[in-house]
């Protein structure tokens, strides 16, 4: 959780994300030829597509995992909320 919060704060402070949400999760995955069960923290970050590449590279540079999960989905939603995300991440 400490690393997740550090990442979230850093990404929000750099205007790469408008918001970060933290969720404790149980994971099962294959790594190094073995099936691993672990507890992790998933971070949901709200950003705009134009900032995703920079956000992704920042996560990769700061994250302790060799291969952090960084994925992007196109969304639709409450227009005023999406505008807030755009306003907060459009600042350079």
């Amino acid at each position: 959780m400490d690393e997740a919060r550090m990442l979230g704060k850093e990404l929000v402070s750099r205007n790469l994300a408008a918001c970060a949400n933290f969720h404790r999760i149980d994971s099962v995955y294959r790594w190094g030829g073995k099936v691993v069960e672990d507890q992790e923290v998933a971070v949901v970050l709200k950003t705009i597509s134009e900032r995703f590449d920079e956000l992704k590279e920042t996560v990769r540079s700061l994250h302790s995992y060799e291969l952090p999960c960084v994925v992007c989905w196109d969304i639709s939603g409450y227009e005023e909320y999406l505008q807030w995300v755009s306003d907060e991440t459009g600042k350079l």
Side-chain angles (χ1 to χ4, degrees):
M1 183 61 80
D2 291 341
E3 181 175 10
R5 288 187 183 282
M6 178 276 298
L7 284 168
K9 286 180 183 178
E10 187 64 27
L11 295 166
V12 170
S13 72
R14 294 184 188 195
N15 298 110
L16 295 174
C19 179
N21 303 125
F22 309 99
H23 308 275
R24 295 180 193 273
I25 59 170
D26 294 319
S27 299
V28 177
Y29 55 92
R30 183 176 301 279
W31 189 255
K34 298 179 182 178
V35 175
V36 178
E37 293 185 47
D38 203 358
Q39 294 182 332
E40 300 180 287
V41 177
V43 181
V44 177
L45 300 161
K46 286 86 170 195
T47 193
I48 55 176
S49 58
E50 294 84 1
R51 299 307 298 264
F52 179 70
D53 286 340
E54 188 178 355
L55 181 145
K56 176 179 63 177
E57 292 307 316
T58 303
V59 169
R60 289 187 66 204
S61 71
L62 297 175
H63 204 290
S64 64
Y65 281 14
E66 180 181 337
L67 185 63
C69 174
V70 182
V71 296
C72 175
W73 293 280
D74 288 328
I75 63 164
S76 60
Y78 182 48
E79 289 180 20
E80 287 84 357
Y81 181 81
L82 297 177
Q83 184 60 54
W84 171 77
V85 171
S86 181
D87 291 346
E88 292 303 312
T89 56
K91 300 173 185 172
L92 299 177

